[in-house]
Amino acid sequence: MTQRAAALDRRSLLGVALTLVAVPATRASEALPPDVEAAIREQVGGAAAAEGGIALRAPETAENGAFVPVTVSVHSAMAGDDRCRAIHLFATRNPTPGVASYRFGAGIARAEVSVRVRLAEGQMLIAYAEMADGTVRRAGARVAVTTGGCLT
Amino acid sequence: MTTPRIRVPSSVKAGEPFEIRTLIDHPMETGLRHQTGQAVARRMITRFEAQADGALLFTADFRNGTSANPYVAFHVRLAQTTTISFLWREEDGREYRATQRVTVS
């Protein structure tokens, strides 16, 4: 039983590894819809976000927009002053842009979270990381969606 | 319908990072979806918390873009044997829980 569970585990991990494709960070200059800007301001505040030190991994094409695997990794030792406090995820072309906010307490070993999001259509996903020193980082990834996941 | 599923090792080495994976069966209805012309009532889990011996370890605030059966995985390190408890809370206050003791050697 334990062994079978372990085997399934490896297979599912392999599947995830194959479907996740590293996507380069998007330009911060890309204009965002006002509702997306507002949602970002509400969760992250007005601090200018730097590109770099954060990676958003998502499939280039998601067949099913209802379950799109996304991993956000932030470069941080998660020790001393070098900590990531929170990660926020936004979907720029969903009916509402908020996906989730994840917050890290003491005992978190990596500034990384893997989740599943729903995407109504192909769009840009944006992740923000709030660091303990008050700086903000951001990364984006464009995901094409074959079957939309929000309204069906 | 709302069964939590957690994957947490029962024993780990002190200070060594390990992954915790969590999922709960839940429709995560946003209230924006229509079925046969009628809006499907909103029903969302909006809060997830993991605690280590009662101290907040990881939290998530889910919004509409989080998928049904919300899945979250994160990495933890422990210095001593710890009970990890998990809580999912719906907007209307309904709560679902799970716990796992992790022995640290």
Side-chain angles (χ1 to χ4, degrees):
Chain A
M1 174 59 205
T2 316
Q3 226 169 11
R4 205 174 67 196
L8 275 173
D9 221 14
R10 274 196 296 277
R11 199 149 50 216
S12 61
L13 279 177
L14 184 66
V16 169
L18 289 174
T19 50
L20 290 179
V21 178
V23 178
T26 49
R27 296 301 100 206
S29 55
E30 196 161 316
L32 294 170
D35 63 323
V36 179
E37 293 274 17
I40 291 169
R41 227 176 4 257
E42 187 183 333
Q43 299 304 328
V44 189
E51 313 266 332
I54 176 171
L56 200 176
R57 298 202 303 280
E60 227 167 300
T61 302
E63 273 178 33
N64 181 0
F67 298 95
V68 182
V70 173
T71 297
V72 182
S73 320
V74 179
H75 187 77
S76 167
M78 292 307 269
D81 295 334
D82 180 12
R83 286 178 190 277
C84 173
R85 278 210 198 109
I87 289 171
H88 308 271
L89 253 183
F90 302 93
T92 55
R93 286 180 67 87
N94 269 5
T96 58
V99 175
S101 295
Y102 315 95
R103 290 188 173 79
F104 300 127
I108 290 295
R110 289 182 198 154
E112 179 179 302
V113 64
S114 295
V115 301
R116 289 181 194 140
V117 309
R118 51 162 69 113
L119 299 178
E121 56 184 288
Q123 58 186 284
M124 182 70 74
L125 268 173
I126 306 179
Y128 282 80
E130 279 182 63
M131 308 304 289
D133 65 4
T135 58
V136 175
R137 300 174 188 174
R138 126 176 176 154
R142 190 168 288 285
V143 181
V145 174
T146 312
T147 307
C150 281
L151 299 170
T152 52
Chain B
M1 178 173 154
T2 42
T3 316
R5 288 183 254 164
I6 55 172
R7 192 179 285 268
V8 185
S10 53
S11 66
V12 298
K13 287 202 171 116
E16 209 152 276
F18 62 94
E19 189 178 36
I20 290 180
R21 280 187 263 173
T22 70
L23 184 149
I24 186 164
D25 293 320
H26 194 279
M28 295 295 272
E29 285 293 351
T30 60
L32 300 173
R33 196 168 69 96
H34 287 254
Q35 215 163 39
T36 59
Q38 294 245 304
V40 180
R42 182 175 170 91
R43 185 181 171 191
M44 287 282 287
I45 289 173
T46 48
R47 179 73 172 178
F48 168 75
E49 294 180 2
Q51 302 200 348
D53 284 339
L56 274 185
L57 183 62
F58 177 93
T59 69
D61 293 294
F62 297 139
R63 291 181 270 274
N64 288 354
T66 291
S67 73
N69 307 330
Y71 167 87
V72 178
F74 50 96
H75 294 86
V76 171
R77 64 165 81 95
L78 297 174
Q80 61 203 35
T81 296
T82 302
T83 299
I84 315 262
S85 54
F86 303 91
L87 163 78
W88 293 258
R89 189 186 300 126
E90 289 190 16
E91 252 169 350
D92 68 1
R94 273 180 283 191
E95 293 182 345
Y96 311 96
R97 293 171 189 271
T99 59
Q100 170 76 50
R101 188 161 176 82
V102 184
T103 304
V104 173
S105 56

